Amino acid sequence: MAEPGRPIRSQGVAGTWPVGRAAPAGGFAPAGFGAWPAIVETLREWARAEAGAGRLLPWVPVAFGGGVALYFAADHEPVLWVVAATAIALTFGAVLLRRSRLFAPAIMIAAVASGFAVATWKTARIAHPVLAKPLYSVSLSGFVEARDIRERTDRFVLRVTAMEAQRSEVKLERVRLSVRKGTAPEVGSFVQLKARLMPPLSPVRPGSYDFSRDMFFQGIGASGFVMGAITASVPPDAGGLRLRYAAFMQGLRDAIDARIRATLEGDNRAIATALLTGRRDAISTPVNDAMFISGLGHVLSISGYHMAVVAGVVFFAVRALLALIPGLAAGFAIKKWSAAAALVAAAFYLLLSGAEVATQRSFFMTAVVLIAVMVDRRAITFRTLAVAALIVLAVAPEALVHPSFQMSFAATLGLVALVQIGMPNLFASPDHSATARVAMWGGREIAMLFLASLIAGLATTPYAAFHFHRVTPYGVLANLGAMPVVSALVMPAGLLGLLAAPFGLDGVFWWLMGIGIDWMVAVSRWVAALPGAVGRIPAFGIAPLIAASLGVIVMGLLRTPLRWGGAVVLLVSIGWGLSVRQPDILIAGDGASVAVRGGDGRLHLIRAGKDNFVLREWLAADADPRDAGSSALASGISCDESGCVTPLADGRLVALASRIDALADDCNRAALVVTSRPAPPDCAAMVVDRQRLARQGALALTRRGDGFSVQAVRARGTNRPWLPAGAGEGDFDGSLAQKAAPRSRDATPSETDLQADD
């Protein structure tokens, strides 16, 4: 990883290859007789160019992230001292081989081992109890550490100092509780209350996002809601410096929200508060949906864009002010002073917005760029991106599996590649008359914005499709319409409002911010209403996503025509993902909801509870546009007080039994019986009962012959700190087989098939 000299610029294009080792510009090997030796030699030249000096560093965070990914793919928790010793030994070995040809593979292997070890160490460092089963009446005392003001209910995080529950000895460290809107206690206060606690939400189907993992790394062991009144009392101690800091920052956010509320209201106020303080839960559902459907949802989550705008506005403002003083402009490095001021502003914005993992990642990226400016290095390079990624993954390895990290770094990689490869050409135009220069400048700016939106959108598409099961066909259009206003009006006005608030002169800036937000919301609603604006994608497994990520990385990091191999991999991953077969039956982890694919190819939903969140997730994963409350979801389902039945595409029945006395009849009539109660051992049907659900969690069943292949949230042998092994008895494999005992075919017609005279 030798550091090459300063890059050479030629005709406005950034040169990135060391002199004397550059590959051919990219012509292909000559065709005809004896072409294979020429092709092989051309490939070798390209490979040598890709392995040139300074080209290794960008691949180190890729390998490090691969090690983190391997950690999260493990079935059970690794032994810390073993993985740490392995990482140290491999790193030491790579250092010894630094002058050998084996250095590159050795350092990559060491990076993989280091990523695995860092993730293992982070989990061991924050280890805490996690609730395994519901507790219905728990007495809690503790300090309020954080508070969220949401649209319907409020929520806060309680650091527990005392916990009492019947028939449970578990002692949780932190819990997250929901309360009636307007009743959340102040951050820093000491309260006593009663609550109903539930285990952290596990994936609602195999392969879906694991919310329990997020809560574990936030130090939260359970969620639930308050029962009765909240009593403030005298704390047994001061709570510590961290609590006082949290109370101060929460008070500052509340004060900012109050100032914004004095001028703006409704969604304008909620969005303005979200952009400045990170609180985005108070935005109404229609506006929130329109923002995400249109491709502007990234504006609502503080990310690299917001951090870049804050740092950029401060940088250019400070530099312009300093340039007005002739003595400073001529004799001092005001550019570096401006970068330092921008770094301080970015750090304050990080703290003000709550310092979530996504915001930390954005800050580290921005900080690396500003530090590069301060030490006279190029700011926007693959090395900058690599260093930022390494810092983020070393501090928070769990960020790797979060969609914000994946989408942000994919977009940044695409933009850096665009800058390094093609964007400088937009500035390499001849100098003509003043009118022509203005026209060309405007054309270049529009072209840059279009290219940046297009590249960032394409780079993030695989991750949006995987996590949210949708793409944004008109994302470029929405970004072209809204982002110039957000960058030039909304964010600068918000920053000026923060500066003017202590002097009581902030009202006009909130008003200007509201005008820009009105435009942004109008653009998002217009784009979301266009035909085909909701691009639904059915769920696909992690393997196509890994392949797509590899394709994006290869296209972004390589500089020779070898990068088009990444395009081939990306196209293969797209075909792979679209060809994935969707399950025939989905079963919720509590056994209260079942989705069965009928003869029409669509899901028919049986539910004994009112959990619309699970149904929404299932429908989104199936690319089904129906709403969770649609009556069409219950077509073909017959129900009574004992349970429900519905047919599969092949006519066999699936039964959801809610009462024990119905199990005998369902076992005789149905091919598959789902129940949250223990099933009788002599049941002739295939059974998914309480024991299996407790052991494996939510299930996805795919027809295979007369039986089903089974995918479970908790695969066989899986036991992680955030997803502990279920308490059910028995060991279940990955299939359900039809019982051998012959049964008479059920002759009962479904209610939908009965005629009027029947």
Side-chain angles (χ1 to χ4, degrees), residues 256 259-261 263-265 267-278 299-300 302 306 309-310 349 352 482 485-498 506-521:
I256 293 172
R259 294 302 306 163
I260 295 174
R261 190 189 299 269
T263 304
L264 303 177
E265 59 183 14
D267 286 313
N268 282 12
R269 178 195 67 81
I271 293 175
T273 300
L275 294 177
L276 297 178
T277 68
V299 178
L300 302 180
I302 294 178
H306 303 78
V309 170
V310 169
Y349 190 40
L352 179 64
V485 174
V486 176
S487 302
L489 178 60
V490 175
M491 291 301 295
L495 293 177
L496 291 174
L498 291 178
D506 53 325
V508 64
F509 298 110
W510 306 135
W511 175 74
L512 290 173
M513 198 177 184
I515 293 176
I517 293 174
D518 279 333
W519 173 259
M520 181 180 67
V521 172

Side-chain angles (χ1 to χ4, degrees), residues 181-206:
K181 188 168 181 61
T183 61
E186 296 292 331
V187 173
S189 60
F190 184 82
V191 298
Q192 296 177 332
L193 53 88
K194 285 187 175 294
R196 177 178 178 179
L197 299 181
M198 303 294 292
L201 181 63
S202 60
V204 297
R205 60 174 181 81

Side-chain angles (χ1 to χ4, degrees), residues 284-614:
S284 66
T285 300
V287 170
N288 191 69
D289 290 344
M291 293 288 289
F292 278 94
I293 291 172
S294 65
L296 292 175
H298 63 92
V299 178
L300 302 180
S301 176
I302 294 178
S303 60
Y305 164 77
H306 303 78
M307 199 67 69
V309 170
V310 169
V313 169
V314 173
F315 176 85
F316 288 110
V318 172
R319 191 175 184 184
L321 291 175
L322 294 177
L324 296 176
I325 306 175
L328 289 179
F332 296 91
I334 61 173
K335 180 180 179 181
K336 297 181 180 181
W337 294 4
S338 303
L343 183 60
V344 172
F348 174 75
Y349 190 40
L350 170 72
L351 300 178
L352 179 64
S353 61
E356 295 181 354
V357 172
T359 315
Q360 292 178 28
R361 169 197 45 73
S362 306
F363 170 75
F364 289 137
M365 181 67 191
T366 305
V368 170
V369 171
L370 293 173
I371 292 172
V373 173
M374 295 166 64
V375 298
D376 293 322
R377 301 298 299 271
R378 289 183 61 205
I380 304 177
T381 66
F382 289 121
R383 295 184 187 88
T384 303
L385 181 63
V387 171
L390 280 174
I391 293 174
V392 172
L393 292 177
V395 173
E398 69 275 12
L400 180 76
V401 293
H402 199 279
S404 68
F405 175 91
Q406 297 167 5
M407 298 178 72
S408 179
F409 270 96
T412 307
L413 175 62
L415 294 176
V416 173
L418 181 63
V419 170
Q420 295 284 308
I421 297 171
M423 190 176 285
N425 289 323
L426 296 173
F427 295 95
S429 55
D431 191 8
H432 298 297
S433 66
T435 304
R437 286 200 301 270
V438 171
M440 294 182 69
W441 181 87
R444 286 196 299 269
E445 293 299 309
I446 294 174
M448 287 172 55
L449 182 58
F450 175 82
L451 283 176
S453 299
L454 179 64
I455 295 298
L458 291 176
T460 57
T461 293
Y463 308 100
F466 179 81
H467 292 288
F468 309 116
H469 315 298
R470 61 189 176 195
V471 295
T472 54
Y474 305 118
V476 173
L477 181 62
N479 280 274
L480 285 174
M483 296 314 294
V485 174
V486 176
S487 302
L489 178 60
V490 175
M491 291 301 295
L495 293 177
L496 291 174
L498 291 178
L499 294 175
F503 304 97
L505 304 174
D506 53 325
V508 64
F509 298 110
W510 306 135
W511 175 74
L512 290 173
M513 198 177 184
I515 293 176
I517 293 174
D518 279 333
W519 173 259
M520 181 180 67
V521 172
V523 170
S524 68
R525 289 182 181 273
W526 173 67
V527 172
L530 293 176
V534 183
R536 294 183 173 86
I537 301 294
F540 51 89
I542 189 67
L545 181 68
I546 294 174
S549 300
L550 180 61
V552 170
I553 291 170
V554 168
M555 290 183 65
L557 292 185
L558 298 189
R559 300 300 304 275
T560 66
L562 289 176
R563 65 177 176 268
W564 299 116
V568 174
V569 175
L570 188 58
L571 290 175
V572 170
S573 70
I574 293 173
W576 187 1
L578 294 177
S579 65
V580 171
R581 180 181 174 183
Q582 298 304 306
D584 294 291
I585 300 175
L586 292 168
I587 304 174
D590 59 359
S593 300
V594 179
V596 179
R597 194 173 306 280
D600 57 358
R602 308 175 78 185
L603 293 177
H604 301 263
L605 300 176
I606 309 173
R607 53 176 170 175
K610 299 180 180 180
D611 193 350
N612 283 335
F613 175 75
V614 172

